[in-house]
Amino acid sequence: MKKLSSLLAMLLVLVFAFTGCGGSGSSDSKEAESTTGAVAESGIPETLIVGTNAEFPPFEFVNDNGDYDGFDIALMQAICDKIGCKMEVNNMEFKSLLGALQMDSIDVIAAGMTATEERKESVDFTESYYEAKQVIIVKKDSNVASFADLNDKKIGVQEGTTGDLYVTPEEDGALVEKAEIKRFKKGVDAVMDLKNGGVDAVVIDKNPAKEFVNGNDDLMIVEDDAAIENYAFAVAKGNTELAEAINNALTELKADGTYDSLIKEYINE
């Protein structure tokens, strides 16, 4: 009897042990589903790789702690929170962003990028999240009052931006008929060249222009409504799932006040 009782006890232990293992496995599976959930089912990656050019304050920059920051970065983080995915930032030259997206090195571009017709040929854009305009930075003793006054001038631009396109005479829709264009990797470098007399003017987006001119008493901004444009996030051609997810998240963020809060924090400080 003692042997039989011992055998029965061992069998009961094994039964409970296997039952316990089965229950634990089921719990882990449900937890995994809840954390990846709709993201995994939709085909949207669990970690969204966001391409940017952190030389474009207040939309993207490196803050005092050495972290990537700015309106675009904060907005994309809020979008990822809504979608249910993590975010990883990949900083690179602005002109390299479209190619990186086409090569699947990144999943989305968040870099104050204007949704131009030319760019739409190679990537898809989300709905616009910000209306911007190109402005002209000049020295305060300059006689430049509009884009028309830039003819025959030396103009500094950030390479590959719409500011570059607007003042390059060979481009469709150019606002300047004849000029010498000097291209820089960073907008701030173009502004420094203006201060040093290397160019007569710099054409760049209004908000970064304000950042660059702030504290430079010898510079001023000239506004011309001829170059108003819309920023949007870019995704790979045909990636409608990600574009729709971002658009839906944007709608929710505007409705719950998050969008306005970020505008106030980064742009209308």
Side-chain angles (χ1 to χ4, degrees):
M1 288 294 291
K2 288 184 179 180
K3 289 185 178 180
L4 180 59
S5 299
S6 300
L7 182 60
L8 286 172
M10 291 177 62
L11 287 173
L12 286 172
V13 169
L14 289 172
V15 167
F16 282 117
F18 280 116
T19 302
C21 291
S24 176
S26 176
S27 175
D28 290 345
S29 177
K30 288 179 180 178
E31 184 178 352
E33 287 178 8
S34 66
T35 54
T36 59
V39 173
E41 292 177 7
S42 67
I44 297 172
E46 293 179 33
T47 299
L48 205 64
I49 303 176
V50 178
T52 194
N53 173 243
E55 304 287 347
F56 198 64
F59 293 93
E60 35 267 330
F61 57 89
V62 178
N63 63 25
D64 294 337
N65 296 322
D67 299 322
Y68 296 121
D69 201 353
F71 177 72
D72 285 352
I73 303 302
L75 182 57
M76 183 52 67
Q77 180 62 69
I79 289 170
C80 284
D81 291 342
K82 286 286 186 184
I83 294 174
C85 61
K86 297 178 182 179
M87 182 180 77
E88 177 183 323
V89 178
N90 190 342
N91 184 35
M92 63 185 71
E93 291 183 9
F94 187 86
K95 68 174 185 177
S96 301
L97 288 167
L98 291 176
L101 185 59
Q102 290 175 297
M103 295 293 291
D104 293 327
S105 299
I106 56 177
D107 299 307
V108 60
I109 297 172
M113 180 171 282
T114 302
T116 65
E117 293 303 317
E118 182 179 357
R119 288 170 180 162
K120 288 178 183 178
E121 294 177 2
S122 56
V123 299
D124 287 340
F125 284 97
T126 64
E127 295 173 2
S128 173
Y129 64 87
Y130 191 80
E131 182 179 271
K133 68 187 300 185
Q134 295 293 314
V135 299
I136 308 164
I137 303 177
V138 293
K139 290 187 176 180
K140 286 188 175 178
D141 59 358
S142 172
N143 61 358
V144 172
S146 68
F147 279 99
D149 296 327
L150 292 178
N151 284 302
D152 297 315
K153 294 284 197 299
K154 291 182 180 179
I155 307 171
V157 297
Q158 184 177 2
E159 186 178 19
T161 63
T162 47
D164 186 351
L165 300 177
Y166 275 124
V167 298
T168 301
E170 297 79 17
E171 295 288 344
D172 292 337
L175 301 174
V176 178
E177 296 178 358
K178 184 181 178 182
E180 181 181 334
I181 310 302
K182 196 170 181 180
R183 296 177 173 86
F184 298 84
K185 303 294 184 185
K186 306 175 183 178
V188 66
D189 291 342
V191 175
M192 289 303 300
D193 200 49
L194 170 63
K195 288 177 66 69
N196 294 331
V199 294
D200 302 308
V202 172
V203 173
I204 199 166
D205 298 57
K206 180 178 179 178
N207 290 100
K210 289 163 64 177
E211 296 279 344
F212 295 144
V213 170
N214 185 33
N216 288 288
D217 296 335
D218 57 332
L219 302 180
M220 67 177 184
I221 293 174
V222 174
E223 295 195 36
D224 186 336
D225 290 339
I228 295 177
E229 53 199 23
N230 291 289
Y231 293 165
F233 299 117
V235 300
K237 200 75 175 171
N239 193 347
T240 55
E241 285 183 316
L242 181 55
E244 288 177 4
I246 292 173
N247 286 336
N248 291 336
L250 276 172
T251 299
E252 293 180 21
L253 292 169
K254 289 179 179 179
D256 66 20
T258 302
Y259 177 87
D260 289 337
S261 178
L262 293 175
I263 285 284
K264 182 179 180 180
E265 179 181 352
Y266 287 98
I267 299 176
N268 300 329
E269 295 183 88

